[in-house]
Amino acid sequence: MGGVPREQRAFQYVLAHAVPGDPRHVLLAFDQWGHRREHLSNLGPRKGRIVERLVQERAPRAVLELGTYCGYGTVLLALGLPPGARLYTVEADPQHAAVAEKVELIVGPSEEVIPRLKEQHGLLRADFVLMDHWKRRYLRDLRLLETHDLLAPGATVLADNVIFPGAPHFLQYAKTCGRYRCKVHRTSLEYFRAIPDGIAELTYTGPPPGPPTGP
């Protein structure tokens, strides 16, 4: 294919086949490419329905996405946001960011972007977070969000691919640290129904209570 990255090939397919201005048709075109041509690390339609339902239920005002990739999750999140809500999406790979050039995003490694979200980008606290970047960075970035007080009380944190390829340390922390209620929506890997996968749903309850201070 002349050295053109598969994400760029998929983007060209979407531009050629999706109805302009129709976000759902854009998602459908990405799904068609993922099913029929080459695998893409998008949420896909089954997990997408979970994410869209939760966004509509929570009606968040400030949303943070870690891992823009082709912009699939960004489009999906934007579809469910209430009027006036803001969506911040972070992508470390400049090539992927270029693919998603129609999306307003922050380019840079998440470990560098997260500490400056408040000061440089005006995100005081997020009440909805979607993690769909490198799985080994999930735990590190969750801890960074905590350290910089970027999670609103009751915030929802969704993390994709926690079963395949898996994020065991992230799940263990979420279940045992005392800061979250955690459940896993079991489904399958995007575009591969035979491979089990899941998306974790965390509800931020705040820091665990400290030890008693005495009488």
Side-chain angles (χ1 to χ4, degrees), residues 30-79:
F30 270 123
D31 291 335
Q32 289 172 340
W33 179 272
H35 279 301
R36 302 172 184 175
R37 304 290 182 90
E38 297 176 284
H39 179 260
L40 295 170
S41 297
N42 293 327
L43 284 164
R46 299 184 72 187
K47 293 177 187 172
R49 286 191 291 271
I50 296 171
V51 173
E52 189 172 11
R53 173 177 60 80
L54 291 171
V55 171
Q56 291 172 349
E57 289 177 359
R58 306 294 192 272
R61 308 298 300 177
V63 177
L64 174 64
E65 179 187 30
L66 300 179
T68 310
Y69 193 49
C70 292
Y72 187 105
T74 313
V75 172
L76 194 66
L77 290 168
L79 277 171

Side-chain angles (χ1 to χ4, degrees), residues 187-209:
T187 176
S188 60
L189 183 67
E190 52 274 10
Y191 313 124
F192 288 96
R193 291 193 175 188
I195 301 177
D197 195 12
I199 185 165
E201 177 188 350
L202 281 55
T203 302
Y204 183 59
T205 57

Side-chain angles (χ1 to χ4, degrees), residues 84-171:
R86 292 197 67 182
L87 170 58
Y88 303 80
T89 181
V90 179
E91 175 56 54
D93 190 329
Q95 287 189 337
H96 292 169
V99 167
E101 62 186 351
K102 299 299 184 182
V103 178
E104 182 178 350
L105 54 78
I106 304 165
V107 180
S110 53
E111 71 272 19
E112 296 178 8
V113 171
I114 290 173
R116 61 176 192 255
L117 281 171
K118 283 189 179 182
E119 182 177 348
Q120 294 189 12
H121 301 285
L123 175 59
L124 300 182
R125 282 180 173 175
D127 43 24
F128 200 99
V129 178
L130 175 62
M131 292 185 168
D132 197 12
H133 54 325
W134 289 101
K135 316 314 163 193
R136 63 178 179 268
R137 298 177 184 170
Y138 281 7
L139 177 55
R140 180 202 66 190
D141 288 351
L142 185 67
R143 298 295 303 272
L144 278 174
L145 292 172
E146 295 169 0
T147 298
H148 293 277
D149 193 27
L150 284 163
L151 295 175
T156 297
V157 180
L158 299 183
D160 192 19
N161 303 121
V162 294
I163 296 175
F164 186 89
H169 299 299
F170 169 85
L171 281 180

